[in-house]
Amino acid sequence: MGNLSFLRYLCLPDNKFQGKIPPELSRLFRLQLLNFSSNSLQGEIPTNLSNSLGVIELAYNDLVGKIPASFGSLSKLIDVYLVFNNLIGGIPPSLGNLSLLQLDLGGNSLTGSIPHSISRIPNLLAFGIGGNKLSGIVPASLYNISTLIHLVTTGNQLTGSLPQDIGLTLPNLQLFSIGENQLWGPIPASLYNASRMEYLDLSANNFSGGVPFDLGRKMKNLFHLNLGRNNLGSGVAGDLSFINSLTNCSKLQLLGLDGNGFGGVLPTSIANLSNHLNLLVAGRNKIGGNIPAGISTFINLVGLGLEENLFSGVIPFQIGKLRNLQILTFSTNKLSGPIPESIGNLTQIYALDLSENNLNGTIPSSIENILGLQTLDLSHNFLTGPIPQTVGLFSTLTFMRLAHNAFIGVLPLEIGKLNNLQELDGSENKLSGHIPTSLGNCLKLEVLLLEGNMFQGSIPPSFSSMRGIQRLDLSRNNLSGQIPEDLAALILLKNLNLSFNNLAGEVPLQGVFGNLSTISLVGNKGLCGGIAEMRLPACPKSIKKGNRLGFKIIVPIACIIPCLSLIEYVFLRQFSFCTSHSFPTDQEYDLNKLPAGLRLGRDIIETATQEPADETRRGYP
C-alpha cells in the first residue's frame, strides 16, 4: 500500500484487521483521510504520517503507546478520533497549534492535565476526553471556546468549578457531559441560556446549592438531564421547584435526581413532563409526601426509582397504567396500605423492590402475570398470608427476598421449579411445615435464608444437590433429626447456621464443619462429636460412623438367633410326627400342607431375614 502514491482516501473501518499499522503509509504524501476504526489493530500509532492528512480516525482498536506529538505539525488536520484504545501518556500540547474541528480521545488511559493550549484551537466543535485518568483543574479558558457543540470530560478526576457565565460563553452547547469527576460549586444560573442543549450530565460530582429554578426554560430539545449523585438541595420545601421549568422540555427522556439532598415534595407539575420520559430516578433524597398519581401519564416509562426517601401514603393504584415499566423500586420509604392489585398489569417488569416500608395485606394474586420477574424484594414490611403457589411460574426469578414479614403456611413445593434462583430469603416470618425437598432442584442457589420461622422435620437430604450454595441459615426453627453428612461435600458453602433447633446425632468433620468460624450449631442439645473446638460431647460408640455398618449387621443377627432357637425347639417337638409321615420327593413341597409347627418356623425365618426397615437402614434402632 505504501506504493499507492496517488491514494487520497484510505477507509477500511468495521473489519477484522489485526497487526500493526504499516509504517510504509508515511510514503502516501497525498493521503487526506485515514480511517481504520473498529478493527483489531495493535502496536503504536506511526509518528511520520503524511502532512496532507486532514482526518485520522483510529477508534475502537487495541492501539498502545502515546499520541504522537508529531500530530501537532500536520497543519491540515481537522479531525482526530482515537477513542477506545489503550493509549497512555498525556495529551500533546502541540495539538493546540492545529485548526481542529474534532478532537476525541475518550476511552483510553491518558494521564496528566488538560493542556491550556487546547483553548487556543479557534473553531473547535467537539472536544472529548471522557473515560481517562486525567486530573487537575479544568482550564477556565476551555469554557470560552464559543464554537463548542460537544464537550465531554466524563469519568476522570478533574477538579474546579464552572464559570458563572458558562451559558453565555458556550451558547452553542448541545452535549455537555462532565459527570464522574470532582467538580464543585453551584450550578451556574446562566446555563439556561444554552438553548440548544440536548444532553446535560453533571452527575457524580460535588456540586452543591440549589438547581436554577429556570434551568429548562429554554432547553426545548433537552432529552437527557442527569444531576444525580451530587450535594444539591437543602432538604427543604422548594428544592424541586426547577421541575416546573422542565415541562418546557418536550423531548425529555431521562431525568436523574438521585443521591442528592432534595427535600420537600414532588410538585404536581411533574405530571406535565414529557410523555417521552422513560427513566425517572430520584432515590436517596429527602423527598416526602405522597407519590403523585400523575406519574401514570408517563406511558413510556421503563425505569422508576424513588427509593430511600420519605414518601408516605399508599402506592397509587394508577401505577398499573405504566405498562412498559421494567424496573420499579420504592424501597426504604414510609409507604403503607396493600400492594395494589394493578401491579399485575406491569407485565414487563423484571425488577420489583418494595422493601422496607409499612405495607400490609397479602401478595396480590395478579402478581402471577409478571412472568419475566427476575428480582422480587418485599422484605421488611408487614405482609401476611401464604406465599402463593404460583411462585413457581417465575422461571426467570434469580432473587426472591420475603424476609421480616408475617407470612404464614408452608413454603410451596413449586419453589423447586425456579431453576435460575440464586438467592431465597424467607427469614423472620411465621412459615411452618417441612422445608420442601424440591429446593434441591434449585441448582444455582447460592444463598438460602430461612431462619426465624417454625419449620419442623429434618433437613432435606436433597440439599446436597445445591452445589453452588455459599450461605445457608436454618437457625431458630424446630428442625430435628441428624445433620445430613452430604452437607460436608458442598465445597462452596462458607457460612452454615443451624443453631437453636432440635438437631441430634454426630456432627460431620469435613468441609464447612471443619472451621468453627464458618458454622454455628449452638442451641442443639442432642449433637455430639465434631471438631474439638466445638466442645461437643463424644458420641456413643453405637452411633459412631465407623460402627454404623456393623450396627446394621448386628441388629438383624440379634433378631435371627432367638428365632433359630425357637425353630430348633419346635422342630424337636414335632420330630416324632415328622418321622411318622413321608414327604413327597418327586415334587416341590406344598408349604401350606406342612404341619402347623413347621409352617410357623418358616414364617419366623422369612420374617427375620427380611430387609431391615428404613429406620434401621439409616442407623436407628
Side-chain angles (χ1 to χ4, degrees), residues 377-381 401-405 407 425-429:
D377 195 342
L378 305 178
S379 61
H380 294 271
N381 280 287
R401 302 182 180 113
L402 308 174
H404 291 270
N405 280 285
F407 291 118
D425 188 354
S427 60
E428 308 300 339
N429 280 286

Side-chain angles (χ1 to χ4, degrees), residues 362-540:
T362 61
I363 298 177
S365 59
S366 63
I367 201 171
E368 65 186 50
N369 299 328
I370 313 177
L371 296 180
L373 204 58
Q374 297 178 22
T375 299
L376 174 63
D377 195 342
L378 305 178
S379 61
H380 294 271
N381 280 287
F382 297 98
L383 299 171
T384 59
I387 298 173
Q389 294 182 347
T390 52
V391 70
L393 297 173
F394 303 138
S395 59
T396 57
L397 199 64
T398 55
F399 299 95
M400 183 163 66
R401 302 182 180 113
L402 308 174
H404 291 270
N405 280 285
F407 291 118
I408 61 173
V410 300
L411 196 60
L413 286 171
E414 289 76 8
I415 208 164
K417 298 178 181 179
L418 305 181
N419 296 326
N420 293 299
L421 196 62
Q422 298 177 23
E423 179 179 332
L424 172 60
D425 188 354
S427 60
E428 308 300 339
N429 280 286
K430 298 179 181 179
L431 299 172
S432 58
H434 289 251
I435 297 175
T437 58
S438 60
L439 272 173
N441 298 329
C442 302
L443 302 182
K444 296 182 180 180
L445 202 59
E446 297 176 0
V447 178
L448 177 58
L449 309 176
L450 298 176
E451 73 270 18
N453 282 285
M454 296 180 287
F455 289 113
Q456 57 189 8
S458 59
I459 300 172
S462 62
F463 277 17
S464 61
S465 301
M466 299 188 298
R467 296 296 178 181
I469 195 73
Q470 300 176 25
R471 183 182 176 194
L472 176 60
D473 195 337
L474 306 178
S475 62
R476 291 181 288 114
N477 280 284
N478 297 317
L479 299 174
S480 57
Q482 289 186 299
I483 299 174
E485 292 183 43
D486 290 340
L487 293 183
L490 300 175
I491 58 175
L492 297 180
L493 184 58
K494 303 301 180 187
N495 192 311
L496 175 62
N497 192 347
L498 304 177
S499 58
F500 298 102
N501 279 287
N502 300 312
L503 299 172
E506 186 170 9
V507 176
L509 297 171
Q510 306 301 320
V512 69
F513 298 96
N515 188 341
L516 192 62
S517 65
T518 61
I519 186 171
S520 178
L521 300 175
V522 297
N524 290 281
K525 298 180 180 180
L527 293 176
C528 62
I531 59 175
E533 291 83 353
M534 291 185 182
R535 298 183 179 180
L536 294 173
C539 293

Side-chain angles (χ1 to χ4, degrees), residues 6 15 28 100 125 131 259 286 313 323 393 468 525 558 582 589 621:
F6 284 88
N15 284 284
L28 304 178
L100 292 170
L125 299 177
K286 300 176 183 178
R323 295 179 181 268
L393 297 173
K525 298 180 180 180
S582 59
Y589 293 136

Side-chain angles (χ1 to χ4, degrees), residues 95-378:
L95 295 176
N97 301 327
L98 303 174
S99 297
L100 292 170
L101 298 179
Q102 173 176 265
L103 176 58
D104 201 339
L105 311 175
N108 285 283
S109 297
L110 301 176
T111 55
S113 58
I114 301 173
H116 287 268
S117 60
I118 298 296
S119 305
R120 297 201 302 264
I121 302 176
N123 298 307
L124 189 62
L125 299 177
F127 179 54
I129 53 173
N132 281 285
K133 300 177 181 179
L134 297 166
S135 57
I137 296 177
V138 178
S141 54
L142 185 66
Y143 301 116
N144 292 325
I145 306 176
S146 60
T147 55
L148 272 176
I149 296 176
H150 292 178
L151 177 56
V152 180
T153 65
T154 306
N156 285 282
Q157 293 97 43
L158 300 170
T159 62
S161 60
L162 298 178
Q164 291 304 301
D165 60 349
I166 189 173
L168 302 174
T169 58
L170 298 178
N172 297 308
L173 273 182
Q174 296 177 16
L175 190 160
F176 187 35
S177 181
I178 59 175
E180 298 182 38
N181 281 286
Q182 298 169 15
L183 302 171
W184 47 269
I187 297 176
S190 65
L191 200 56
Y192 86 96
N193 285 301
S195 58
R196 298 182 181 181
M197 191 74 74
E198 298 177 2
Y199 189 106
L200 178 57
D201 185 355
L202 309 180
S203 65
N205 279 286
N206 295 313
F207 290 117
S208 57
V211 179
F213 74 95
D214 56 354
L215 178 65
R217 182 159 62 91
K218 294 184 178 181
M219 299 181 182
K220 295 185 178 181
N221 294 318
L222 188 68
F223 70 87
H224 181 110
L225 175 60
N226 193 352
L227 306 176
R229 292 174 290 163
N230 280 287
N231 298 315
L232 299 169
S234 54
V236 298
D239 279 349
L240 298 171
S241 60
F242 67 92
I243 288 179
N244 296 330
S245 70
L246 298 181
T247 59
N248 294 323
C249 307
S250 58
K251 299 179 181 179
L252 192 64
Q253 297 179 25
L254 181 145
L255 178 57
L257 308 175
D258 58 303
N260 281 287
F262 293 124
V265 300
L266 287 176
T268 55
S269 62
I270 196 169
N272 298 325
L273 292 179
S274 166
N275 58 11
H276 295 289
L277 197 67
N278 56 44
L279 188 60
L280 172 59
V281 287
R284 302 191 305 283
N285 281 288
K286 300 176 183 178
I287 307 172
N290 294 337
I291 296 175
I295 62 173
S296 62
T297 60
F298 305 139
I299 56 175
N300 293 304
L301 205 62
V302 173
L304 176 59
L306 302 179
E307 73 281 1
E308 296 184 40
N309 276 288
L310 303 173
F311 287 108
S312 57
V314 300
I315 299 174
F317 185 84
Q318 293 85 346
I319 199 80
K321 295 182 179 180
L322 304 178
R323 295 179 181 268
N324 291 306
L325 207 58
Q326 297 179 22
I327 301 174
L328 174 61
T329 171
F330 289 164
S331 64
T332 318
N333 279 283
K334 298 180 179 180
L335 298 171
S336 58
I339 301 172
E341 194 74 25
S342 63
I343 204 85
N345 296 335
L346 309 179
T347 56
Q348 303 299 315
I349 279 190
Y350 65 83
L352 176 60
D353 189 351
L354 305 178
S355 63
E356 298 191 49
N357 281 284
N358 298 316
L359 300 174
N360 54 40
T362 61
I363 298 177
S365 59
S366 63
I367 201 171
E368 65 186 50
N369 299 328
I370 313 177
L371 296 180
L373 204 58
Q374 297 178 22
T375 299
L376 174 63
D377 195 342
L378 305 178

Side-chain angles (χ1 to χ4, degrees), residues 540-557:
K541 291 184 178 180
S542 59
I543 62 170
K544 285 274 187 185
K545 291 180 184 178
N547 295 332
R548 282 180 182 171
L549 179 59
F551 183 70
K552 291 181 180 181
I553 296 173
I554 290 170
V555 170
I557 291 177

